[in-house]
Amino acid sequence: MSGEARVTIRLEGVDKFFGGKTAGGANGGTLALKDISLELTEGEFVCLLGPSGCGKSTILNLIAGFDRPTSGEVLVNGTAVEKPTPERGMVFQQPTLFPWLTVIDNVTFGPRMLGVARCDYLPPARKYLRNMGLEGFENHYPWQLSGGMCQRVALARAWISSPGILLMDEPFGALDAQTRLMMQELLVNIWESARTTILFVTHDVDEALYLADRVLVMSARPGRIVRNFTVPGNRPRDIENLASDPSMMEIRRDVLRCVRDEVRKSMEHSTHDSVSV
Amino acid sequence: MTIWRRSAISILSVVSVLALWQLAGTLRWVDPLLLPAPSEVLQTAVFLAANGYQQVPLWQHIFVSVARALAAFFVAVLVGIPLGLLMGLNASLDAALDPFIQFLRPLPKIALIPLTVVWFGIGETSKFFLIFIACFLSVVVGASAAVLNVQRDRIRAAKLLGADRWQIFRFVIIPHTLPELFTSVRLSIGIGWTALIAAELVAATAGLGWMVLNAGNYLRTDIVILGILLLGIIGYALDLMLVLAQKHFVPWAGKDA
């Protein structure tokens, strides 16, 4: 990171309450996020790690503009997020491709909706498909491809609009272990050349440590950010030697302990009381 | 099972039943008045094709019925799909109309016959109305349900890629609902074909449904069976056409990625 990196994403004192109309939650709503503050600088790769149901996806939805915070501020490049725009891309756990469109039409969906000329969007689309190892599959339909290939198409579709920010919601969670490793390497390679700011939600500690500059660990519901780990080690990282790197082993142990504590709390929480607020 | 093997078994099964039926007639196992043999039904078909039934040629009975059913069916689809889609998109509209639709849909349409006669007389309008209302209700319900089944994350992905509300409707919701729309249209043509008989109970002078009912009064079971066979075969053919259209127009049906 350069000395004076620009802040791209900033959350300040964000609470998110779901359900009941009153803020007190008298009619049984859920406080999903409590006092979340975080900052991502331009080009940073940050992973959000935490037990399931802790509100990781809620944070992505707030930044994407699908949802508004109950209180606090969500700022992107200094302005409050109001609605989804192409400056923020998102990749979901499911590829969410359009099965009625071919691979190339899926990838170029964004530019076509924005009225970009064909000659302007086709070359970059072909370039991204090549980078994703999807050459020759342009005219296939998503249902003719494997899960990993679909997710690569989704990645190309999100990246072609050159978003400043890429939000990723457990994008590799549904893939098998081998494919997941390949996808992680692919993602890092492209990120290193594109330098998009990435906020990546996962519950896989090793995935987070391989990908991220920083790892934020969240608590059980209501979700808070309990720890901020800076991942040491120079890039490019090597998946195979990551496990034996002594500084990595230490941070891995710390992160694991921190996550396990939170998972345990969340399990106790859900067995002891069913009323959430 | 391969499609050839499946078809072979189906054909063999139909041929066996026909042969057994013929045998039952030829060997007089059953009274031909109750169940005329296929050969007799075939003779009746040839006779009616040449001489007509009750002064109306057979092809005209077929044509009248198909025209009635298809006209009402097409109008029902043209009105029902947009209305159903709107209901799926707009919860207030859905809340306003749903009680009426849910009340009318399970209502046996035959119960409406006296009212339709009072309202529209005994001409084609009342027949059209009976078939239309049956098709329409099933299409509306199918279309609004189809919209609600659109994957939320797909709409979100499209929004983030810059699609506006109209583009999301046109390029995401419509293609997403097409497979289900085809299914509800298929269901509705079956329902419409069923409603045809109820419609032709109303003072008709032609039509397959009327022919069956009328021939029953004269104990012409051969004509009754011929009519039933024709109704069944035409209904099957209409459904098959829609299945082929679905395969052609929405090859992604049932293949979610």
Side-chain angles (χ1 to χ4, degrees):
Chain A
M1 290 281 92
S2 63
E4 3 175 341
R6 214 158 62 88
V7 174
T8 348
I9 304 175
R10 173 190 244 122
L11 271 70
E12 251 176 39
V14 166
D15 290 352
K16 180 63 194 176
F17 186 78
F18 284 115
K21 293 265 182 231
T22 54
N27 37 3
T30 307
L31 187 62
L33 298 176
K34 189 175 165 59
D35 196 22
I36 299 277
S37 295
L38 60 87
E39 260 185 21
L40 265 74
T41 52
E42 195 169 16
E44 203 177 13
F45 198 139
V46 174
C47 277
L48 265 179
L49 202 61
S52 56
C54 72
K56 302 183 295 265
S57 302
T58 307
I59 293 184
L60 293 192
N61 288 338
L62 290 174
I63 299 170
F66 296 135
D67 227 331
R68 299 285 187 89
T70 308
S71 60
E73 274 192 308
V74 180
L75 303 170
V76 167
N77 294 325
T79 43
V81 170
E82 300 214 319
K83 60 177 198 317
T85 61
E87 98 183 68
R88 277 153 285 145
M90 188 146 170
V91 179
F92 302 83
Q93 181 167 10
Q94 297 305 321
T96 67
L97 299 177
F98 306 118
W100 51 89
L101 298 179
T102 58
V103 165
I104 189 85
D105 285 345
N106 264 288
V107 171
T108 59
F109 185 84
R112 288 190 292 120
M113 292 301 109
L114 296 172
V116 176
R118 204 178 148 76
C119 55
D120 289 331
Y121 66 65
L122 268 187
R126 296 232 162 84
K127 188 194 83 186
Y128 273 112
L129 284 177
R130 205 177 321 119
N131 290 349
M132 297 289 173
L134 288 165
E135 227 170 355
F137 289 96
E138 289 181 10
N139 296 317
H140 281 59
Y141 284 91
W143 34 272
Q144 297 171 317
L145 307 180
S146 69
M149 288 166 90
C150 280
Q151 205 53 290
R152 278 182 270 160
V153 177
L155 215 50
R157 181 180 68 175
W159 232 316
I160 194 177
S161 311
S162 322
I165 294 166
L166 204 50
L167 305 165
M168 308 189 80
D169 195 354
E170 299 190 36
F172 309 147
L175 303 177
D176 65 80
Q178 305 309 318
T179 313
R180 195 180 317 160
L181 286 180
M182 268 178 48
M183 293 292 290
Q184 288 164 358
E185 274 186 310
L186 185 69
L187 175 63
V188 168
N189 286 340
I190 299 178
W191 169 74
E192 283 186 329
S193 60
R195 282 288 154 179
T196 311
T197 310
I198 295 183
L199 186 56
F200 187 108
V201 161
T202 178
H203 54 240
D204 180 341
V205 174
D206 291 315
E207 181 169 71
L209 290 177
Y210 172 66
L211 294 174
D213 297 319
R214 275 191 300 138
V215 176
L216 305 176
V217 178
M218 286 184 69
S219 72
R221 187 186 290 164
R224 287 166 297 111
I225 290 174
V226 285
R227 286 286 294 276
N228 175 2
F229 294 92
T230 300
V231 183
N234 297 327
R235 294 187 187 264
R237 292 176 190 150
D238 177 358
I239 290 192
E240 280 132 50
N241 295 328
L242 208 60
S244 52
D245 182 328
S247 64
M248 270 297 186
M249 278 163 75
E250 194 178 325
I251 187 169
R252 185 169 182 276
R253 199 176 52 231
D254 289 351
V255 174
L256 265 176
R257 184 180 300 137
C258 185
V259 171
R260 207 168 43 217
D261 283 353
E262 291 307 325
V263 171
R264 206 186 54 235
K265 276 185 216 158
S266 86
M267 290 173 82
E268 283 168 2
H269 192 73
S270 60
T271 48
H272 283 296
D273 67 351
S274 47
V275 185
S276 347
V277 176
Chain B
M1 190 180 322
T2 66
I3 185 151
W4 298 115
R5 194 178 160 77
R6 209 190 137 78
S7 312
I9 294 176
S10 296
I11 290 168
L12 193 70
S13 156
V14 172
V15 168
S16 315
V17 169
L18 281 176
L20 199 67
W21 178 10
Q22 181 63 46
L23 215 60
T26 317
L27 301 176
R28 296 280 159 166
W29 291 345
V30 286
D31 186 343
L33 187 66
L34 297 181
L35 186 69
S39 58
E40 278 179 62
V41 176
L42 194 67
Q43 275 169 20
T44 309
V46 172
F47 179 81
L48 288 189
N51 302 301
Y53 180 73
Q54 305 282 43
Q55 284 89 50
V56 179
L58 183 60
W59 68 264
Q60 204 170 322
H61 286 295
I62 295 174
F63 175 78
V64 164
S65 287
V66 172
R68 272 178 192 145
L70 286 189
F73 163 78
F74 277 121
V75 176
V77 167
L78 280 180
V79 183
I81 285 186
L83 184 68
L85 291 177
L86 277 178
M87 284 173 67
L89 292 171
N90 184 325
S92 307
L93 185 68
D94 184 67
L97 297 183
D98 194 55
F100 300 103
I101 288 169
Q102 295 309 338
F103 165 74
L104 282 171
R105 200 166 60 110
L107 188 78
K109 303 305 173 287
I110 298 175
L112 294 175
I113 289 179
L115 267 185
T116 55
V117 171
V118 174
W119 288 349
F120 305 114
I122 56 172
E124 286 301 317
T125 317
S126 54
K127 298 174 182 63
F128 175 88
F129 178 78
L130 277 171
I131 304 173
F132 167 80
I133 198 78
C135 292
F136 174 73
L137 293 169
S138 109
V139 168
V140 168
V141 171
S144 71
V147 174
L148 297 179
N149 286 341
V150 176
Q151 225 186 57
R152 192 192 58 179
D153 280 349
R154 276 213 182 102
I155 293 179
R156 290 185 157 182
K159 271 185 192 165
L160 274 178
L161 291 167
D164 60 30
R165 280 172 64 103
W166 163 248
Q167 287 174 325
I168 286 174
F169 179 72
R170 168 68 187 81
F171 297 110
V172 181
I173 292 177
I174 290 285
H176 208 299
T177 53
L178 265 184
E180 263 189 83
L181 288 182
F182 257 100
T183 305
S184 61
V185 162
R186 253 183 84 192
L187 280 175
S188 109
I189 204 168
I191 291 169
W193 198 236
T194 310
L196 177 77
I197 303 300
E200 292 186 348
L201 277 171
V202 185
T205 52
L208 283 176
W210 173 80
M211 187 179 91
V212 168
L213 295 164
N214 188 272
N217 293 338
Y218 299 103
L219 286 182
R220 287 295 303 270
T221 40
D222 52 338
I223 297 178
V224 171
I225 288 182
L226 175 66
I228 291 172
L229 288 178
L230 286 173
L231 282 169
I233 290 168
I234 295 168
Y236 189 31
L238 290 174
D239 188 62
L240 207 62
M241 273 155 59
L242 280 173
V243 171
L244 292 177
Q246 180 175 26
K247 278 206 178 121
H248 183 260
F249 290 110
V250 284
W252 64 89
K255 290 169 179 159
D256 223 348

